Amino acid sequence: MAGRRVHQVRRDLLLAVVRETGRISRADLTRRTGMARMTVDALVTELLTAGLLAEEAAVADGARAGRPARSITLGVAAGGVVGALLTPEGVRVAAADLTGAIRSERHRPDPGLDTLTTLITACSTDIGGRVWSTVLGATVDAAVIGAELQRRLGRRVMVRNTAELSLLGERGYGIAAGHADVCHLRIDAAITCGLLLGGVLHHGGTGAAGRIGHVQMDEIGPLCRCGNRGCLETIAAVPAILTAVGHTLGEPVSAARAVELARSDTAVERILADAGRMIGRVLADVANTVNPSLVILDGPLVDPDGPIVTAVREALTRYAQPEVAATTEIHAATLGDRAALLGALWSGLRATPAARGSRTLARSTGPTTSDQAGSPADARPGEGGAGAGVLGRRERAVRRDILVEALRGRGATARSDLVKITRLPRAAVADLLAGLCRDGIVERCAPAEPRAGRPSPHFRLAAPEALLVGLAFQGPGIRVLVADGSGEIRYDGFRAVPLAHDARPMMREAGGFVRELLEQHGDRIGADTRVAVSVPAPVHPVTGQFGARSVLTMFSGYSPGEEISAVLGCPVQVANNGHLGALAEVRRGAGRGARDILFLSADQYLSGGLVAGGRMYSGAIGYAGEVGHLNVREMGPFCGCGRRGCLRAFLTPEYFAALLDRRPAPGPPSEDRLLDLAANGDRPIRRALLDAGRLIGRAVTPLVSVFNPSVVVVGGRFLAPGEFVVDGVREALQRHCSPSAVAGLTVVPAALGPDAEAIGALESLI
């Protein structure tokens, strides 16, 4: 199995290089891939025989002296992919070769399965080679149609919804090229959106991500097909808009006619703009909490310079946080009704061997470990080392992974047994083990029990000696956890530090506290020490800096990692507390085993974090999960950010003052006083905490509907007296989200308490 995996990596990379260059000699292939000439010759011969590559006669072009080299190109059997779209308006099918060039495109108005099969077969013939993948987008009964189509064609058919395919089309061929965090909103008979998070298409915990049309806008509004009242679709979907325009004009109108009238008729313009404002209001919540860099608006009523796009931009500026609004682009789609079809092609191309090879080339350009840059001991006589060049680094990384997985859970294992288990060459295993030992991943050890014959050296995964430091800035001070390389906590410490208007001295004091704590336990900062820090403000995921316009001025305009690193003398990575709390709960806490979770830290400094597909997700500029500044009432109390009606403003001790005044105490209202009374059975305050949970749940409904987590984990200080807030969040989500969004949703209390953020910092280092 290991040998086949390495061979497949080599084939994919070879195809990727040929595809990207178009025409290349064997000598240049050897240089580009880093493989030995013998290996390249063997692979080229294999691919020539299969028809995936072709060899062209040598042509002298005067570029180099000597005998001209024959060129390698993609062969006639290299094939391509087929994309298909089935809608009530008909069938569209297209085929593309491995370079992404469209070879044929066919359309028929008959939306029948027979027509779909016929057109796919015709386009498959146009490719002239192997069809690597077939992708279908369908608006109704997609799974049933896909299964029947797969039976008819005799090959696998991937089925995706049209919103996701439209997003992929814009990502591969349109305006979203180069963006990794994208929300594609389709405004039609329904309102749906596709999400690209960190370059990965997001489906959600139950596959229901993107149900933005069923975000509730008006609890006593029109009844929606989901069973709720006042959903966004009942107000701003195309049928609702055209009905309103028709009533104004006294006659039915088409979408195209409405767009035309909006350019000259004030009443029609206002109707479309009002729909845009409603959509923009929900998109502002999505931008504040999912933090895409680009929002694409698509649909028959969307005009690039029309009232819907303009109103969405205005609403985003009004309701999104300033930095989010300034960095979120709003554009109309550029591909029209071809977007989903082109998305099907792009999705299919991503699954081809050449595309896999291109991703490997991209991943393999970074720094190497000692093993990856090591000797060519695993090469056969006459070959260059596998460590040479891009392919060699990737190939050795694959082999390292295979060896580490073979050792995981086995304890002491003989080198000869590892050769049998992995089926890698004996010399390769010896060299890779030496590199893994140098990197501290594997260590040599004594056998668990004596064996007859000449002893073979034994190896096991190393007991990590590295120091991991997780540091969290919390309300009352600095919390530090110190762990070994596996993440097992060895000791901890806390220091009370007051928050000042300039937090940089606090950052440097935190670095000094870490040094003191390590010295107290006989440790010191060394080459194997790694430090991660949790801070209560958004941090840019690339630069590691606080935003220039952060709500908290003490956490604005500088790099906290650089301040702490200057004291410790080692690199420091920094992330937002909500993000790290989410990571901790999904790794060690109440969200363990889930791949898509929303973490809420419920207290007066309300924060949140997302884990998407098992990965901590920060957003385009680090604002993902920032739920505290969602606007819940335009005429509400002032918030510390300067706006009225933010969710956080309804959770401050001052907002609970009427309850606290019933039992006077010295000093201003405080969170400690509130929680003490609740813990001692004060029923009005317990009811207020339940209501606070309902308010939090109602406010995050758009995020839950679009992100579709499988678990919502509720933590924070408000849980100290009991799970009243958890019950309120659960009740609100069940009440206000669409049935599909909450069908598989679990709302649970956090398990890690106040240590969640520091634990998350440790987990980010593992």
Side-chain angles (χ1 to χ4, degrees), residues 168-254:
L168 293 178
E170 294 287 351
R171 175 69 175 83
Y173 292 89
I175 198 169
H179 288 267
D181 304 285
V182 183
C183 174
H184 181 283
L185 191 74
R186 173 76 183 177
I187 307 163
D188 210 326
I191 302 179
T192 56
C193 78
L195 288 178
L196 195 71
L197 305 183
V200 179
L201 197 62
H202 180 69
H203 302 286
T206 60
R211 303 298 173 90
I212 194 170
H214 296 290
V215 172
Q216 192 177 51
M217 304 292 292
D218 180 4
E219 293 188 36
I220 58 173
L223 190 65
C224 178
R225 56 194 174 93
C226 74
N228 275 349
R229 286 188 174 274
C231 292
L232 181 62
E233 277 187 10
T234 67
I235 301 170
V238 169
I241 297 173
L242 294 183
T243 297
V245 173
H247 285 164
T248 300
L249 300 178
E251 61 181 7
V253 294
S254 65

Side-chain angles (χ1 to χ4, degrees), residues 445-728:
C445 62
E449 52 187 47
R451 300 174 60 164
R454 182 180 178 182
S456 176
H458 282 61
F459 297 86
R460 66 185 178 193
L461 292 181
E465 297 181 359
L467 277 180
L468 306 182
V469 179
L471 190 155
F473 288 92
Q474 300 172 338
I478 304 165
R479 178 70 167 159
V480 177
L481 301 179
V482 181
D484 62 21
S486 67
E488 183 175 348
I489 298 172
R490 294 169 51 184
Y491 50 88
D492 59 65
F494 177 81
R495 174 174 290 180
V497 179
L499 189 62
H501 290 295
D502 184 359
R504 278 174 282 200
M506 183 182 181
M507 299 288 170
R508 293 189 286 272
E509 183 172 349
F513 177 46
V514 169
R515 275 191 174 278
E516 293 173 16
L517 187 64
L518 294 178
E519 290 171 359
Q520 289 172 10
H521 291 82
D523 291 321
R524 55 183 293 183
I525 301 291
D528 58 353
T529 303
R530 290 180 286 160
V531 182
V533 180
S534 168
V535 293
V539 179
H540 197 287
V542 177
T543 66
Q545 289 198 327
F546 290 131
R549 304 175 65 184
S550 175
V551 172
L552 300 174
T553 55
M554 68 283 294
F555 299 124
S556 299
Y558 63 94
S559 170
E562 291 179 1
E563 298 290 335
I564 300 172
S565 179
V567 177
L568 294 179
C570 67
V572 174
Q573 65 183 50
V574 184
N576 174 259
N577 56 0
H579 303 161
L580 292 174
L583 182 65
E585 290 291 346
V586 84
R587 294 270 184 90
R588 302 193 189 190
R592 187 177 298 180
R595 291 183 56 78
D596 301 283
I597 80 161
L598 166 62
F599 171 72
L600 298 169
S601 180
D603 50 41
Q604 63 177 314
Y605 305 110
L606 178 69
S607 62
L610 303 176
V611 171
R615 300 168 294 113
M616 184 175 74
Y617 178 68
S618 303
I621 61 169
Y623 273 76
E626 284 292 299
V627 299
H629 296 285
L630 294 175
N631 186 269
V632 296
R633 185 183 175 197
E634 293 195 38
M635 298 302 295
F638 272 113
C639 175
C641 71
R643 296 193 309 172
R644 284 185 176 274
C646 291
L647 176 57
R648 185 178 288 179
F650 292 91
L651 304 175
T652 62
E654 291 77 15
Y655 192 74
F656 294 98
L659 296 174
L660 297 176
D661 289 345
R662 294 179 302 113
R663 299 186 180 184
S670 69
E671 191 173 73
D672 289 337
R673 171 83 173 143
L674 177 77
L675 299 179
D676 285 344
L677 290 173
N680 290 322
D682 190 302
R683 294 185 63 186
I685 290 181
R686 288 186 170 187
R687 181 177 179 179
L689 289 176
L690 175 67
D691 192 59
R694 293 189 185 114
L695 184 62
I696 293 170
R698 180 68 180 89
V700 301
T701 292
L703 173 59
V704 171
S705 297
V706 172
F707 183 69
N708 184 218
S710 56
V711 180
V712 174
V713 179
V714 184
R717 296 195 71 206
F718 280 2
L719 266 68
E723 297 181 9
F724 310 108
V725 173
V726 181
D727 294 339

Side-chain angles (χ1 to χ4, degrees), residues 292-345:
S293 61
L294 173 66
V295 174
I296 301 172
L297 302 177
D298 192 10
L301 292 175
V302 175
D303 184 7
D305 299 314
I308 289 181
V309 175
T310 301
V312 167
R313 287 176 177 151
E314 291 172 353
L316 193 75
T317 302
R318 169 69 180 85
Y319 294 106
Q321 296 184 63
E323 277 200 306
V324 172
T327 56
T328 305
E329 299 178 33
I330 308 287
H331 293 293
T334 57
L335 300 178
D337 58 2
R338 297 181 70 224
L341 181 63
L342 295 177
L345 289 177

Side-chain angles (χ1 to χ4, degrees), residues 334-404:
T334 57
L335 300 178
D337 58 2
R338 297 181 70 224
L341 181 63
L342 295 177
L345 289 177
W346 197 77
S347 177
L349 286 167
R350 294 280 293 172
T352 63
R356 290 198 303 267
S358 293
R359 292 194 292 274
T360 296
L361 283 168
R363 286 196 301 268
S364 301
T365 56
T368 62
T369 64
S370 60
D371 177 72
Q372 290 170 325
S375 63
D378 61 338
R380 293 190 296 271
E383 288 191 352
V390 172
L391 174 110
R393 292 198 296 271
R394 175 56 181 163
E395 184 176 325
R396 289 180 71 85
V398 169
R399 290 181 169 186
R400 282 165 60 96
D401 290 346
I402 292 168
L403 270 176
V404 170

Side-chain angles (χ1 to χ4, degrees), residues 68-141:
R70 295 170 66 85
S71 297
I72 304 297
T73 64
L74 291 176
V76 293
V81 299
V82 174
L85 191 62
L86 180 62
T87 68
E89 290 73 37
V91 174
R92 300 177 71 100
V93 181
D97 62 23
L98 292 185
T99 67
I102 298 174
R103 293 298 185 186
S104 65
E105 187 170 345
R106 300 167 186 263
H107 171 258
R108 285 188 189 173
D110 174 23
L113 189 57
D114 290 339
T115 303
L116 177 64
T117 306
T118 300
L119 293 189
I120 289 178
T121 302
C123 284
S124 299
T125 304
D126 294 338
I127 290 176
R130 176 175 176 177
V131 177
W132 292 99
S133 57
T134 303
V135 180
L136 170 68
T139 54
V140 293
D141 298 327

